[in-house]
Amino acid sequence: MGAFNTIAFKPEHCDGCNACMTACATAKTGSADIINSRIQVVADGDTFELALCRQCGDPKCVANCPAAALAKDDASGVIAWDGSKCVNCLLCTVGCAYGGIVYNAAAGHVVKCDSCGGDPACVKACDRGALTYLTTANIYNEVGDLEDLFVPGLAGCQGCNTELIMRHTLRRIGPDTVLATPPGCVPGMGSVGYNGLTGTKVPVFHPLLTNTASMLTGIKRHYKRQGREVNAVALAGDGGTADVGFQSLSGAAERGEQILFICVDNEGYMNTGMQRSGCTPFGAWTSTTPVGERGKGKTQDAKNLPLLMMMHNCEYVATASTAFMEDLYAKLDRAIDASKRGFAYLHIYSPCTTGWRFPSAENIEVARKAVETNFVMLWEFNPRDGLRLSRPLDEPRPIDEYLEALGKYRHLEPEQVGHIEATVRKNVEQIRGLAEGRRAAMA
Amino acid sequence: MQQTEYLIVGASHAALSALQAIRMQDAEGSITMVTRDDALPYSPTVLPYVVSGRSAPERVALKDGAWFEQNKVGFIRGAAVTALDAAARRAKLSSGEEIAYGKLLLATGAAPILPPIPGLKDVKFHVLRTLDDAMKLNKALPNTKQAVVLGAGLVGMHAAENLAKAGAQVTVVEMQPRVLAGYFDAEASSIIEAAFAAKGVELLLGAKVSRCETAGQGARVTTDTGAVLDADLLLVAAGVAPVTDYLAGSGVAVDRGVLVDDTMRASVDGVWAAGDVAQAKGFYDEAKILNGILPSAVEQGKIAGMAMAGDPAVRPWPGGVPLNTYTFFGQQAVSVGSQEAGETVRKEADAKHYLKIVMKDNRLTGIFGINVPFDPGVMWEIILRRIDLSSVREAFIKDPQKTARTIMSKTWR
């Protein structure tokens, strides 16, 4: 059984316009009467609640059906109703605790959502952003059977985002790869292995922090000379990319070496004890920007590494986040492709449960908040099309939602928060300007 | 001798639900399913529709051979378990074969009760519990002019409707003063009774059959109220009782059904029971009850399967809640919970509609409706969770469907 697409509801964006119900009723019955809608939005004071078939994985409506009239489709995940078998006993409605399958008097039988065959009318009708059709499951269906090229049991911290990035990216890039993992969390948790065995199922090496890009350059050129098509990939931390490793990186990018360089940005040297890096944001606690009577965390802003790489006019530059996996995978595909022509750089934000001080179960939520508050912006660049936003920057969530989720900002004073807000605003304007400049240049 | 890790006796909802739960946890352990029926798994609940012709017998199978193969299950049909040696963990089949098992699930369901009516065993009559029964009734339907149904429970009422639709003159004899007494009160039952009366079905309520005798090709039924009914088709639908005869001498404790604890474990090691055969805790008090309804069978089967496979996510049986749905002549009756466990906070009835809500300490204990929409599954969950409705009490009483959906969306979204 694969993973399935699903209709998601964000009540905070709903204003009770009923367009979804009208669209559903019209699509399913030809009548706009919302009593016939398979999706039911229920007003509760100022908020809205939802009754809709969840297309459950272990559906009780199906288990409760005595007539084999309900079945979960293996391909789409949709629970289908077979009118030629249904006996109108209504026991499915006893099994469903979500109001997802109900008797409809006009139809004379039970009705339920069938996702409109993968193109739900309710979602198309919602212009408030309350209903979305999530297709992230496609990633699992597409790559779920690909081999994980890291060994089991990497020694990452509990809830580590970087491990996710490592496994996802290498699985997609595939086995024809030589991997460079300079000092940092990536080798720290075991990519280079123990006792003479590597932690990967592809050749992996451990360059110095300073020479990752130049070593990869040599390896890539060697294979090219041999006539072999090999992906030369770096998985490096932000310190190894932005600070110590920047000279060789900048050189390789400027020369257009056919390399994919992935920066796993956890905003510091987390592996060695959580020291600051050039990517550590203003105000953040690290072990070298301590908080005490006088210290209040880092006193400088982070450098904008992906923008620096864009200025190298690389074949491809993009930022990504594990909270937006479809976007990440799409960019990964384009980065792999671009690395066959020139230098590709992918900057993936990786919240660090240990170094940023938040509960290990909340990593993806933190990553999501970073993007939704515009603290992190998702975009991509190529020399022909310029910079393109992957996600609108309008209507960000308040920055406090992000800062308050992290222990490393717990000490912040109002003026520091003000500084961060101003920095985010400035960064947004900068990126927006570049994106609009592209549009102007293209027009 | 055949050996199996899991032996499941029975092949309906509880058995299938257990099987799926086992496979969720244990992908490889050998499973054997044995059923006394010579058919693919089917639900007793679908049988009235086989009688009416709505469901073709070959289309009611809940699972097919491919499914058993895919789930690596040995499926033996047409073989009943006749004896159990729980100490040696062996079951004896009617074929004479013995099966050694690691863990055993008893899901043998129930069989019709034959009331001690003088002369009953000497006349031709039908019951309705197996696919065979249903096909026989379906065959008899076109030739039936006068039918008598003993019992006004769900089986009897469904059959009476189908017989009437097929053109027979139908009389239902029921000891209770109303139909479906297990699920509805007098006002609700009267709506159902009126629908049957309008279709020409005669209901003899509060009447007891005192004698049966053969008369011509059919049977003659005499009641204690003095009625004498001639029937070319007699259906006995006086309820069902768990099938436990094969457990004699096994050491498995049986009261009215197989006594089980909150994870469906029977009194001896390595044995579980679920569905109509099981006697498990009730929801409203701790006494162990028979609650032979399909949704309970599904839940109990799942719990038993999880417990048998050692699934750590198994949650204890919350207790049986009486619930059922009943459609008659295109109308819908739904009964969720207990009439008696609380006080009635809303009740209204007209000729076609009925709604009753019962609460105790601002918690829902039961809701009953005819042709009034609400989501029974949501209501069941609200009862099980004992959700405090004090803050939404008025709204709930006014519009139970909408308010319950709001509670659902907020509480277990």
Side-chain angles (χ1 to χ4, degrees):
Chain A
M1 191 160 63
F4 307 118
N5 298 340
T6 190
I7 296 168
F9 178 59
K10 288 187 179 163
E12 64 270 26
H13 295 310
C14 181
D15 65 0
C17 73
N18 287 357
C20 55
M21 292 198 272
T22 307
C24 177
T26 306
K28 293 298 162 202
T29 67
S31 129
D33 187 346
I34 60 171
I35 198 166
N36 294 320
S37 173
R38 279 59 169 155
I39 182 169
Q40 289 289 332
V41 172
V42 186
D44 179 38
D46 296 338
T47 64
F48 297 92
E49 303 293 339
L50 182 73
L52 173 69
C53 174
R54 264 59 169 177
Q55 319 289 359
C56 295
D58 184 14
K60 261 211 266 180
C61 57
V62 175
N64 272 13
C65 178
L70 290 163
K72 189 173 176 73
D73 184 85
D74 281 345
S76 69
V78 168
I79 293 158
W81 173 78
D82 181 346
S84 75
K85 286 185 168 181
C86 177
V87 296
N88 258 345
C89 71
L90 307 184
L91 282 165
C92 49
T93 68
V94 177
C96 178
Y98 299 99
I101 184 163
V102 296
Y103 181 76
N104 181 286
H109 54 73
V110 290
V111 297
K112 67 179 290 303
C113 168
D114 62 1
S115 295
C116 295
D119 187 20
C122 56
V123 175
K124 281 192 285 188
C126 180
D127 59 7
R128 312 296 204 267
L131 288 172
T132 45
Y133 190 56
L134 299 182
T135 54
T136 321
N138 290 334
I139 294 171
Y140 177 81
N141 293 334
E142 282 168 22
V143 307
D145 291 334
L146 300 181
E147 189 180 11
D148 184 348
L149 295 171
F150 283 95
V151 297
L154 294 179
C157 301
Q158 192 175 41
C160 178
N161 200 315
T162 298
E163 182 179 349
L164 289 180
I165 292 170
M166 291 159 63
R167 293 188 186 279
H168 276 286
T169 53
L170 205 55
R171 168 181 278 177
R172 182 58 152 197
I173 295 165
D176 293 331
T177 298
V178 174
L179 183 66
T181 61
C185 291
V186 178
M189 73 175 83
S191 69
V192 293
Y194 305 99
N195 301 330
L197 296 170
T198 68
T200 59
K201 300 174 193 171
V202 299
V204 62
F205 70 102
H206 193 42
L208 299 177
L209 269 175
T210 49
N211 64 7
T212 307
S214 41
M215 278 187 79
L216 261 185
T217 297
I219 284 169
K220 175 74 182 190
R221 288 190 179 191
H222 171 74
Y223 279 118
K224 267 194 97 165
R225 191 166 296 173
Q226 285 190 331
R228 286 182 64 185
E229 185 66 43
V230 168
N231 298 308
V233 178
L235 272 168
D238 52 285
T241 307
D243 300 343
V244 201
F246 188 68
Q247 167 275 128
S248 64
L249 171 69
S250 177
E254 178 263 324
R255 294 192 303 274
E257 302 292 346
Q258 292 169 0
I259 291 171
L260 169 55
F261 200 106
I262 299 173
C263 173
V264 181
D265 181 5
N266 56 18
E267 300 182 348
Y269 292 85
M270 296 308 169
N271 178 57
T272 48
M274 297 166 279
Q275 295 87 356
R276 85 190 280 288
S277 77
C279 286
T280 304
F282 174 88
W285 169 90
T286 69
S287 61
T288 47
T289 56
V291 174
E293 268 177 44
R294 293 168 60 191
K296 294 182 198 167
K298 196 182 173 201
T299 53
Q300 304 87 6
D301 283 315
K303 67 171 94 168
N304 194 329
L305 192 54
L307 265 191
L308 274 171
M309 295 313 294
M310 189 191 93
M311 292 306 180
H312 285 72
N313 213 31
C314 299
E315 185 63 20
Y316 185 74
V317 176
T319 63
S321 162
T322 46
F324 297 84
M325 288 303 285
E326 284 180 287
D327 181 61
L328 193 159
Y329 266 94
K331 286 170 173 169
L332 191 55
D333 285 348
R334 287 195 277 276
I336 295 166
D337 183 54
S339 73
K340 301 188 192 314
R341 299 186 301 272
F343 197 86
Y345 177 80
L346 193 55
H347 193 99
I348 309 180
Y349 294 94
S350 181
C352 170
T353 56
T354 308
W356 298 13
R357 300 181 168 179
F358 60 89
S360 56
E362 286 171 22
N363 209 313
I364 301 299
E365 271 318 298
V366 167
R368 192 188 319 280
K369 281 178 180 157
V371 174
E372 289 181 343
T373 57
N374 280 349
F375 193 88
V376 157
M377 286 169 278
L378 302 183
W379 52 266
E380 64 184 339
F381 164 88
N382 71 57
R384 292 161 297 284
D385 304 323
L387 186 146
R388 188 185 69 84
L389 291 175
S390 315
R391 210 180 159 277
L393 301 174
D394 313 317
E395 297 179 33
R397 301 176 79 84
I399 191 72
D400 288 350
E401 288 186 16
Y402 177 63
L403 300 179
E404 283 167 8
L406 305 177
K408 70 173 175 176
Y409 293 125
R410 191 174 297 135
H411 59 280
L412 288 184
E413 290 173 6
E415 57 269 26
Q416 289 179 290
V417 174
H419 179 102
I420 292 171
E421 275 170 337
T423 304
V424 168
R425 252 198 319 274
K426 191 190 80 197
N427 290 345
V428 167
E429 284 319 305
Q430 195 171 23
I431 295 294
R432 205 199 297 271
L434 287 164
E436 283 167 3
R438 171 190 71 102
R439 276 205 287 278
M442 303 275 291
Chain B
M1 180 172 28
Q2 195 187 331
Q3 306 212 358
T4 186
E5 176 62 26
Y6 303 95
L7 177 60
I8 299 175
V9 190
S12 194
H13 291 282
L16 293 171
S17 178
L19 198 162
Q20 274 169 303
I22 291 169
R23 273 290 173 254
M24 287 272 191
Q25 177 72 11
D26 183 349
E28 296 297 332
S30 54
I31 303 181
T32 305
M33 181 175 270
V34 180
T35 172
R36 59 184 182 271
D37 249 297
D38 194 19
L40 285 168
Y42 65 88
S43 172
T45 306
V46 82
L47 297 179
Y49 308 96
V50 174
V51 174
S52 71
R54 171 77 184 87
S55 301
E58 65 277 8
R59 294 193 78 213
V60 298
L62 297 173
K63 304 290 173 194
D64 58 15
W67 185 85
F68 283 109
E69 207 163 294
Q70 196 186 331
N71 284 280
K72 300 175 195 165
V73 177
F75 181 50
I76 304 173
R77 41 177 158 164
V81 169
T82 53
L84 177 66
D85 183 344
R89 302 203 177 197
R90 284 180 192 178
K92 193 167 184 189
L93 304 188
S94 49
S95 59
E97 197 186 347
E98 273 197 293
I99 298 183
Y101 63 83
K103 289 161 182 172
L104 171 67
L105 176 68
L106 307 175
T108 46
I113 296 172
L114 297 182
I117 299 169
L120 178 61
K121 62 180 191 307
D122 300 320
V123 301
K124 279 198 290 184
F125 64 89
H126 288 262
V127 292
L128 180 52
R129 182 66 188 189
T130 67
L131 196 53
D132 270 351
D133 297 339
M135 286 157 71
K136 277 183 205 151
L137 266 166
N138 173 260
K139 225 172 141 188
L141 218 48
N143 304 320
T144 302
K145 291 186 181 63
Q146 285 186 302
V148 171
V149 176
L150 304 188
L154 284 169
V155 172
M157 295 301 278
H158 273 301
E161 178 175 344
N162 290 325
L163 287 160
K165 281 177 176 165
Q169 170 58 47
V170 185
T171 308
V172 180
V173 184
E174 168 62 51
M175 285 197 298
Q176 300 279 336
R178 60 180 193 269
V179 302
L180 297 169
Y183 297 107
F184 296 103
D185 67 8
E187 287 91 332
S189 293
S190 70
I191 295 176
I192 300 168
E193 287 159 12
F196 276 79
K199 298 286 178 182
V201 176
E202 195 178 348
L203 301 172
L204 295 183
L205 303 174
K208 208 172 151 183
V209 176
S210 49
R211 193 171 74 243
C212 291
E213 59 210 310
T214 301
Q217 293 295 306
R220 176 168 297 157
V221 174
T222 309
T223 71
D224 61 353
T225 52
V228 179
L229 308 162
D230 278 325
D232 44 23
L233 186 147
L234 173 64
L235 174 69
V236 179
V240 295
V243 176
T244 58
D245 49 349
Y246 60 97
L247 295 173
S250 67
V252 174
V254 176
D255 175 25
R256 293 163 64 207
V258 178
L259 290 165
V260 292
D261 70 7
D262 287 354
T263 55
M264 301 299 131
R265 224 166 27 162
S267 62
V268 300
D269 278 351
V271 182
W272 285 258
D276 288 5
V277 77
Q279 188 175 346
K281 182 177 81 180
F283 177 75
Y284 297 98
D285 62 48
E286 292 292 305
K288 292 192 176 178
I289 59 166
L290 292 177
N291 194 35
I293 54 170
L294 193 159
S296 273
V298 168
E299 282 304 304
Q300 292 184 349
K302 182 175 178 180
I303 291 170
M306 290 174 88
M308 290 166 77
D311 191 326
V314 65
R315 285 161 70 186
W317 171 242
V321 174
L323 34 91
N324 232 313
T325 53
Y326 173 56
T327 51
F328 58 101
F329 298 110
Q331 305 190 58
Q332 289 74 41
V334 175
S335 160
V336 182
S338 161
Q339 310 258 3
E340 289 89 28
E343 55 186 289
T344 302
V345 295
R346 176 177 172 184
K347 178 163 165 176
E348 56 197 47
D350 60 27
K352 279 237 142 187
H353 301 88
Y354 170 88
L355 178 66
K356 174 165 149 181
I357 302 173
V358 181
M359 287 188 185
K360 186 183 181 189
D361 303 332
N362 287 320
R363 284 163 173 85
L364 184 68
T365 62
I367 179 165
F368 313 87
I370 296 177
N371 301 323
V372 172
F374 58 81
D375 305 309
V378 176
M379 298 300 178
W380 186 13
E381 193 67 19
I382 286 175
I383 292 173
L384 286 181
R385 289 177 183 238
R386 296 186 170 88
I387 288 180
D388 184 354
L389 300 173
S390 45
S391 63
V392 292
R393 185 184 159 100
E394 294 316 311
F396 189 93
I397 291 170
K398 187 161 167 260
D399 189 346
Q401 180 179 44
K402 180 180 168 218
T403 312
R405 284 179 174 178
T406 306
I407 293 165
M408 170 275 292
S409 182
K410 281 181 173 166
T411 316
W412 62 86
R413 151 158 61 206

